[in-house]
Amino acid sequence: LQNLLKGGVTCWALQQPNFKSLFPLGIHGHHTASKSLNCAWQQHEDHFELQYANTVMRFDYVWLRDHCRSASCYNSKTHQRSLDTASVDLCIKPKTVRLDETTLFFTWPDGHVTRYDLEWLVKNSYEGQKQKIIQPRILWNAEIYRQAQVTPVDFQSFLETNEGLKKFLQNFLLYGIAFVENVPPTQEHTEKLAERISLIRETIYGRMWYFTSDFSRGDTAYTKLALDRHTDTTYFQEPCGIQVFHCLKHEGTGGRTLLVDGFYAAEQVLQKSPEEFELLSKVPLKHEYIENVGKCHNHMIGVGPVLNIYPWNKELYLIRYNNYDRAVINTVPYDVVHRWYTAHRALTVELRRPENELWVKLKPGRVLFIDNWRVLHGRESFTGYRQLCGCYLTRDDVLNTARLLGLQA
């Protein structure tokens, strides 16, 4: 036994009723819980290792002390930390560890006891989060979306019932687009609709925008020209999360709206050329908006990669794609620039595949909500007089509404 301990070899103890470990828990050893739990742990010099629910997890000791949920460390009413993290010894280690049923107890050198439910640790461990999807989605091309037969939500149901609102938000979260129908074709009713799920985000374009093809702003959107697929406000440090469109009147031809699931296209790039997907997620680009029209004088700059992913699970959460507003590429050396152009071309090819294009005709009474972090939009050129109104919504508030209705977002 002494030779084993001197050599640092793992020590084992089986936890069963009325069975006491031969080794004190203070020794860096490996302790296995009952077979029914299939739980085992090991204390290492700089971390705690836990195996449970088919997951091997590793926890830093400071993390274990910092996340204590005892009454003195965490306010369960406000769901806020009370412990001063800066007061925790960076070299802290538990004095003892024990398992009771499905709860681990850590006793620290000062006598404070931290308890963790095993399921809580699985859910909140890095290893657990790596396996978890933040927001479930259904990726689509035109055929997939049509076959899904996603139905719009009625205006009154949307405004007056949680069932209608929840159905709308479920559609929006899964597909990145959702429609509300039978909306009175006025700016006031469109505003009322938007405020049902979020605060309206006021920008340089105002709170609610109302425009025709009069080029009243220095933007191609205020013309009759066709617009290629893009996401909006890439020149904001945080692009607007949701866009609302309502065509109030159109006396002419053309003007269909183009919708493309950017995440579906990015997934194709990932499957075919993972190195190009990775490059698009790492190279920072500048996007720029310069306007000097009438009383409007603006110079906006936003920085970020085309594809934005959560680093722990590689889940894509934002695409920033706008060839109109992309500024000079001067953030990476020339050899990386050429590789970026190759990767950008691969993504553009996928975005421009005809089978990935969903064309819809906006008309009075039918309001379209677009996830501007996911779905690209564009339009055909058009003739005649066309009035649109809409706004941007704060993403946090839309997701907050969804979570309060029991949706994963």
Side-chain angles (χ1 to χ4, degrees):
L1 173 61
Q2 289 179 344
N3 290 335
L4 288 174
L5 292 176
K6 287 179 180 178
V9 178
T10 298
C11 304
W12 294 80
L14 184 65
Q15 266 198 357
Q16 293 179 343
N18 302 320
F19 182 89
K20 294 184 179 179
S21 170
L22 293 175
F23 311 112
L25 290 175
I27 296 177
H28 299 308
H30 194 146
H31 307 273
T32 303
S34 64
K35 293 181 180 179
S36 60
L37 280 179
N38 193 23
C39 170
W41 77 83
Q42 184 174 359
Q43 289 179 255
H44 294 275
E45 185 65 26
D46 61 349
H47 70 280
F48 181 79
E49 184 175 326
L50 173 67
Q51 182 174 339
Y52 178 69
N54 298 315
T55 304
V56 177
M57 299 157 277
R58 295 172 180 84
F59 300 94
D60 178 81
Y61 290 126
V62 178
W63 186 98
L64 288 167
R65 182 64 188 89
D66 180 47
H67 288 82
C68 179
R69 269 16 188 189
S70 67
S72 63
C73 297
Y74 186 78
N75 189 326
S76 59
K77 292 183 179 179
T78 64
H79 303 282
Q80 292 177 301
R81 179 180 285 102
S82 303
L83 174 69
D84 177 16
T85 303
S87 69
V88 178
D89 182 357
L90 293 177
C91 297
I92 196 170
K93 295 175 188 175
K95 192 174 180 181
T96 62
V97 181
R98 69 180 178 87
L99 178 69
D100 183 6
E101 298 296 332
T102 60
T103 303
L104 272 171
F105 293 83
F106 295 85
T107 301
W108 303 102
D110 63 357
H112 184 82
V113 177
T114 296
R115 63 182 66 191
Y116 287 115
D117 182 81
L118 294 176
E119 291 294 338
W120 190 94
L121 288 172
V122 172
K123 178 183 177 181
N124 291 284
S125 67
Y126 170 74
E127 292 79 7
Q129 287 293 311
K130 281 179 65 176
Q131 303 172 34
K132 182 182 178 182
I133 296 173
I134 301 296
Q135 184 179 321
R137 297 180 175 92
I138 296 176
L139 306 186
W140 53 268
N141 58 19
E143 184 61 24
I144 292 172
Y145 186 80
R146 290 193 187 97
Q147 288 184 357
Q149 298 182 333
V150 183
T151 56
V153 174
D154 179 73
F155 176 64
Q156 293 300 327
S157 176
F158 180 93
L159 284 183
E160 298 173 3
T161 72
N162 282 343
E163 291 76 14
L165 181 60
K166 186 173 182 178
K167 177 185 175 184
F168 167 86
L169 286 168
Q170 183 69 81
N171 291 341
F172 180 81
L173 292 172
L174 289 176
Y175 296 97
I177 56 175
F179 294 88
V180 180
E181 62 182 6
N182 301 320
V183 182
T186 69
Q187 180 173 317
E188 292 72 26
H189 284 90
T190 308
E191 182 177 2
K192 186 177 182 181
L193 191 75
E195 289 177 327
R196 171 75 163 121
I197 60 171
S198 170
L199 295 174
I200 293 175
R201 179 173 175 179
E202 188 160 356
T203 68
I204 57 174
Y205 303 105
R207 187 170 181 275
M208 291 291 297
W209 32 261
Y210 173 89
F211 68 90
T212 63
S213 54
D214 60 359
F215 201 66
S216 59
R217 301 298 298 263
D219 194 294
T220 313
Y222 290 76
T223 70
K224 296 181 179 180
L225 300 175
L227 288 174
D228 193 19
R229 63 224 72 201
H230 64 280
T231 59
D232 271 16
T233 59
T234 53
Y235 40 79
F236 287 4
Q237 281 297 90
E238 180 185 314
C240 292
I242 288 85
Q243 189 165 22
V244 182
F245 280 121
H246 191 184
C247 180
L248 304 179
K249 181 186 293 187
H250 184 198
E251 299 168 347
T253 61
R256 288 185 305 163
T257 295
L258 168 64
L259 300 168
V260 179
D261 186 354
F263 286 12
Y264 179 89
E267 179 65 22
Q268 304 308 305
V269 175
L270 177 62
Q271 297 301 323
K272 298 173 183 178
S273 306
E275 68 286 350
E276 292 178 345
F277 179 96
E278 183 178 9
L279 191 66
L280 290 172
S281 71
K282 289 185 175 180
V283 173
L285 297 175
K286 295 177 184 176
H287 288 78
E288 189 171 35
Y289 179 76
I290 302 174
E291 178 183 33
N292 288 292
V293 176
K295 296 181 180 179
C296 300
H297 303 283
N298 294 290
H299 189 173
M300 311 289 292
I301 297 177
V303 182
V306 173
L307 303 178
N308 296 256
I309 62 175
Y310 296 123
W312 60 89
N313 67 354
K314 308 303 180 185
E315 181 180 345
L316 179 63
Y317 69 88
L318 164 64
I319 181 169
R320 191 190 292 251
Y321 185 100
N322 191 317
N323 208 50
Y324 297 104
D325 297 325
R326 180 165 45 78
V328 175
I329 302 176
N330 53 18
T331 53
V332 287
Y334 82 95
D335 55 329
V336 178
V337 168
H338 194 81
R339 289 168 48 216
W340 181 88
Y341 275 118
T342 301
H344 181 266
R345 184 68 51 85
L347 177 60
T348 302
V349 166
E350 297 299 334
L351 290 170
R352 291 181 176 176
R353 291 191 187 279
E355 60 267 30
N356 293 340
E357 299 178 342
L358 179 67
W359 290 92
V360 298
K361 180 69 173 178
L362 297 182
K363 58 184 181 180
R366 196 170 192 230
V367 178
L368 169 63
F369 290 71
I370 301 174
D371 184 345
N372 188 55
W373 283 21
R374 170 183 173 181
V375 175
L376 287 70
H377 66 280
R379 71 155 186 246
E380 287 180 316
S381 61
F382 64 92
T383 65
Y385 183 72
R386 190 171 184 250
Q387 287 182 346
L388 267 81
C389 77
C391 59
Y392 294 116
L393 304 181
T394 59
R395 186 177 191 83
D396 288 337
D397 289 290
V398 173
L399 298 182
N400 175 54
T401 302
R403 294 186 193 110
L404 291 175
L405 290 171
L407 298 173
Q408 184 176 341

